[in-house]
Amino acid sequence: MPASLMQGSAAVAEAAVAAGCRFFAGYPMLPFTDLLEHMARRLPEVGGVCMNAESEIEGVNMVLGAAAAGARAATGSCGQGIALMQEAVAEAALNEVPFVVFNMARGQQDYFQATRGGGWGDYRTITLAPADVGEAVEHTQLLFHLADRYRAPTVLYGDYLVAHTHMGVEVEQRDLGPLPDKDWALDGTRGGTGRSRQIWTWAMGRTDAPGPGPDAHWRRLADKFDGIAATEARSAQHRTDDAEHLIVSFGTSAPFVDHVVDELRADGHRIGSFRPVTLWPFPEAALAATVAAGPCAQVLVFEVNAGQMIDDVRLAVAGRAPVRPIGGVSIDGSGMRQGALLSAAAIRDRVLAAIEEVPSP
Amino acid sequence: MTTTPTTTPPTTPPPTTTVPTDAPPDRPSRKVAASSAALQVGEDHHLCPGCGHPVAWRILLEVISELDLARRSIGVVGHGCYTNIVRLADIDWLQCLHGRAPAVATGVKRVRPEVAVFTLQGDGDMASEGLAEVLHAAARAERITCIMLNNGVFGDTGGQMTAASVVGQRTKTSLEGRDPATHGYPVPVADLVSRLPGTAYVARGGVGSAGAIAQTKRYLKRAFELQVAGAGFTFVEVLTMCPTGWFVPTAEGPGYLGATFEATFPLGEIR
């Protein structure tokens, strides 16, 4: 299939369909709304179902039910809607029901929400933050794969720029490797056989076929998330060799930062950038190695919020270099997307000021 | 759900007591079918003496067997004392969040339309926490059966007022009885869903007497038959006893049920 010019929401919808998503439920909320509209149009064409959920709570629970019955399923929202879904996302993480949540956030102020979550219990959600529409297409298919591989809900952290930008993209079904059988999924065919299945956060099983119970079950899940943290962290770097100043940014901020890096390199500054592609697991080891390898005088964190990812950056850098925020709150007049701070000129000014304050070693 | 989950697997339950009916009884007094439903795999539960839930469980499981649905049914169960059925009944179960069972069951049914999908919820789960979910499922004419075990009290947490507690009912959070001036009025869920055009069948039964149990079993059977036939949303409310949560002597449970609950929630087929 040749590349075609598509709006980000349409491209993500096509990628979800190509990945085999056949059940979607959502509640309108800008900038997520367009994805819901595309799924409502596309899924019936491929024999799937798109539900006009009456609330985000109902939507995510419908998706939990569909996924528990074995379907590839997804929902989405942003901000407040994602907040309403957190109870069910945590539940799905704890009772091991895989689905994808498309968080088309209104900016970068939901990093904590995406990486820490607001649900209960010891759980994490694999969260990918694409830099542009093309990467969102790749991530969409990868998220369905990772969800099934680990039997856990996964999250795409997009935003207005991902959802509404038009870009030439190719959407093709990707082979991401074999997956375990969904022999845990409920199909209702085993009643009375002694082999019926159950999906239950407490995992207590039937009295004649006891499950592990919550203690052993939740310790196994904690081990599972530790394993994901050790193996699934992804990151990208731009001109970090010999960099004295390292800028860390995520999602759609990163292309702006990379552009500024190129500009400043042309002016003779030894500067590079680092981007966590997975917000959770945060690529701690890769960032630490990058900082340790070079003559890094400082790590600058550019995020369009009051300072959220910087916590993870500090944990990863662990004192190897000073970590300083150069981002901030910036929302445009609509309240739906990043404001004036997300521009190459504004970022360049802040980076230059930071370079002057901390002389290179 | 038990309030204090144990990590130690319980000992193997005693075999379910059954009496063969394909041979003449060895004495007339034992001429009964079975003391527990065929799909029941154990008799070990945490419910209080006088609780009505086990009777509701039994007729539900009997209906599933009698309609030959054991190998094509999925139960979606909420949070309450009744959740323990997951441990005792040999069918596929999805235990879900408080109040959300009708939404979860919607997802299950849309993916597996050939399967009989039902929810099992209490009045705290459905009338209090999840009223929107059941009303919306009914309005969408989801081909599922929602079952509300209504004892007018949060039993699992020890006897607090729910949205379905009847006027005058004493609970730990309405000590002098539910007073409309302070607490408002109970929500008649069955009557609400009966007003929605997507609803194919609504009935309210009870387990306070042998006659009511037999009638309620017929209601459940009708609801499952109509679901399997694709008629639309089906709903059965079952009034059950909770003498512990009502603070009445165990033996007075059925009498209290009839005198208070049935006056507010009359039994019968509603739609």
Side-chain angles (χ1 to χ4, degrees), chain B residues 89-111:
Chain B
D90 184 19
I91 63 168
D92 278 2
W93 288 107
L94 176 49
Q95 201 285 323
C96 66
L97 290 166
H98 199 52
R100 315 301 171 215
V104 175
T106 295
V108 174
K109 184 71 177 187
R110 295 289 183 125
V111 170

Side-chain angles (χ1 to χ4, degrees), chain A residues 54 58 192 194 196-197 207, chain B residues 71 87 90 92 112 136 140:
Chain A
E54 293 86 351
E58 293 190 53
S196 60
R197 286 163 287 214
T207 55
Chain B
R71 297 186 74 165
R87 305 214 67 206
D90 184 19
D92 278 2
R112 299 203 178 273
H136 287 145
R140 289 193 307 269

Side-chain angles (χ1 to χ4, degrees), chain A residues 198 200 202-207 209-214, chain B residues 1-2 4-6 10 87:
Chain A
Q198 49 181 252
W200 189 6
W202 272 258
M204 294 175 71
R206 293 195 313 269
T207 55
Chain B
M1 189 198 82
T2 55
T4 53
T6 171
R87 305 214 67 206

Side-chain angles (χ1 to χ4, degrees), chain B residues 86-236:
Chain B
V86 172
R87 305 214 67 206
L88 295 172
D90 184 19
I91 63 168
D92 278 2
W93 288 107
L94 176 49
Q95 201 285 323
C96 66
L97 290 166
H98 199 52
R100 315 301 171 215
V104 175
T106 295
V108 174
K109 184 71 177 187
R110 295 289 183 125
V111 170
R112 299 203 178 273
E114 75 284 3
V115 171
V117 178
F118 66 94
T119 74
L120 188 65
Q121 305 171 258
D123 51 299
D125 193 279
M126 184 186 282
S128 296
E129 187 82 45
L131 188 58
E133 277 74 8
V134 68
L135 292 179
H136 287 145
R140 289 193 307 269
E142 294 297 339
R143 273 68 171 171
I144 60 176
T145 299
C146 287
I147 302 166
M148 179 172 82
L149 305 182
N150 184 3
N151 55 20
V153 71
F154 286 106
D156 206 21
T157 50
Q160 300 79 27
M161 196 191 91
T162 73
S165 295
V166 298
V167 171
Q169 185 182 339
R170 293 177 61 225
T171 72
K172 283 182 180 169
T173 52
S174 58
L175 290 171
E176 301 305 319
R178 182 171 191 163
D179 175 6
T182 304
H183 307 112
Y185 296 90
V187 178
V189 182
D191 301 280
L192 295 181
V193 297
S194 74
R195 295 291 302 276
L196 298 169
T199 302
Y201 182 75
V202 179
R204 184 186 290 119
V207 293
S209 68
I213 293 167
Q215 185 66 265
T216 303
K217 184 175 172 182
R218 285 193 284 274
Y219 295 158
L220 287 167
K221 189 172 270 188
R222 185 74 183 133
F224 275 92
E225 286 171 346
L226 286 165
Q227 182 199 152
V228 171
F233 180 78
T234 52
F235 181 88
V236 180

Side-chain angles (χ1 to χ4, degrees), chain A residues 22-27 32 35-44 47-53 62 74, chain B residues 110 140:
Chain A
R22 291 297 178 270
F23 187 94
F24 195 88
Y27 187 96
F32 156 74
L35 178 58
L36 173 61
E37 292 177 359
H38 285 292
M39 294 303 277
R41 182 176 57 79
R42 282 292 283 133
L43 280 181
V49 174
C50 183
M51 302 291 298
N52 289 297
M62 290 174 188
Chain B
R110 295 289 183 125
R140 289 193 307 269

Side-chain angles (χ1 to χ4, degrees), chain A residues 31 33 38 57 105 116 126 128 148 181 223 237 251 263 288 306 355:
Chain A
T33 309
H38 285 292
I57 294 172
R116 271 61 173 173
I126 296 174
L128 289 165
D148 281 347
D181 288 339
D223 290 344
Q237 301 184 27
E263 285 184 345
I355 289 174

Side-chain angles (χ1 to χ4, degrees), chain A residues 141-154:
Chain A
Q141 302 197 52
L142 180 58
L143 284 165
F144 280 103
H145 181 83
L146 293 173
D148 281 347
R149 177 168 175 190
Y150 293 110
R151 278 188 69 181
T154 59

Side-chain angles (χ1 to χ4, degrees), chain A residues 11 13 88 111 118 157 160 208 261 305:
Chain A
Y111 180 92
Y157 191 115
Y160 190 97
D208 64 328
V261 165
N305 59 40

